[in-house]
Amino acid sequence: MKLCIYPGTFDPFTNGHLDVLQRAAKLFKHVRVAVAIDSTKKPLFSPEKRVELIRANLRGLPNVDVTSFDGLLVEFARKEKAVAIIRGLRALSDFEFEFNMALMNRHLEPKVETIFVMPNESYSYTSSSLVKQIAKLGGDVRKFVPANVAQALRKAYPKK
Ligand code: COA
């Protein structure tokens, strides 16, 4: 069974991430969303909460599941017997970071390919940190994230 891993911090999961996931689900027999526990970022949501927020959006995607992982992504991919890692490329600005990460991962584990997909261009300016910033300042983020994520953000940043 060809398994692909879709890793990320997902703090929080956005409609752009969902778009990438829907595309990946068409390409692979099985896709496992992998929420990174170790992150250089300081996530707002706990790994458990991020997993829960993603899981609620997997209806209609029977070949997708979600879990969290600790440590090196390639170790996790190897353990899961994944053949590929999928990442979204929103714009040219994503390229350098993604290119370096893909090459480093290939160096660490040559058997796992990194595959890039382009989300719909309407998501090219969506990012988790912008969404959090807007929510924190009381703005409406419902266009950018699934309903349960918008609700979780409202709870995390109650109106003053
Ligand atoms: N739609 C919307 N936003 C998207 C997106 C899409 N399709 N694709 C990426 N993004 C945005 C995110 O919103 C996020 O924005 P932010 O930085 O403003 O918050 C950013 O791009 C990337 O976040 P995310 O997609 O959650 O992934 P990430 O870059 O945080 O993930 C890991 C990085 C977890 C894959 C990487 O750190 C890792 O592999 N860690 C494990 C340790 C390891 O193996 N390290 C060695 C790597 S060589």
Side-chain angles (χ1 to χ4, degrees):
M1 183 165 98
K2 298 254 185 216
L3 170 72
C4 155
I5 306 279
Y6 180 29
T9 307
F10 302 117
D11 185 53
F13 188 69
T14 67
N15 289 338
H17 289 130
L18 184 59
D19 181 285
V20 169
L21 191 54
Q22 285 162 341
R23 291 172 199 277
K26 287 189 203 146
L27 296 173
F28 288 89
K29 260 250 156 71
H30 201 98
V31 181
R32 184 152 296 147
V33 183
V35 173
I37 295 175
D38 273 342
S39 178
T40 47
K41 302 172 178 179
K42 283 205 181 76
L44 170 68
F45 295 109
S46 69
E48 296 77 21
K49 186 69 185 175
R50 283 177 274 150
V51 166
E52 179 199 312
L53 291 173
I54 295 170
R55 188 169 289 134
N57 286 286
L58 301 184
R59 278 181 302 270
L61 295 170
N63 61 334
V64 178
D65 61 30
V66 54
T67 188
S68 57
F69 76 102
D70 222 348
L72 279 180
L73 173 61
V74 287
E75 286 296 337
F76 176 74
R78 197 182 290 148
K79 191 173 91 283
E80 300 288 314
K81 298 189 172 53
V83 294
I85 291 166
I86 203 134
R87 293 284 291 169
L89 270 186
R90 290 165 300 170
L92 204 56
S93 50
D94 282 342
F95 184 77
E96 198 173 343
F97 173 74
E98 294 296 339
F99 184 73
N100 287 340
M101 193 160 74
L103 288 182
M104 185 58 86
N105 281 333
R106 179 188 281 171
H107 176 83
L108 295 171
E109 176 47 271
K111 284 191 197 140
V112 180
E113 284 300 335
T114 299
I115 295 178
F116 295 106
V117 299
M118 280 189 294
N120 187 294
E121 59 273 20
S122 58
Y123 301 122
S124 55
Y125 56 90
T126 306
S127 85
S128 301
S129 50
L130 281 182
V131 162
K132 279 183 285 189
Q133 199 180 103
I134 295 166
K136 193 174 179 181
L137 298 173
D140 187 356
V141 294
R142 285 174 299 177
K143 272 194 188 147
F144 312 116
V145 295
N148 67 328
V149 174
Q151 199 180 8
L153 284 166
R154 271 199 303 277
K155 216 167 150 193
Y157 298 120
K159 282 210 172 115
K160 287 167 198 149

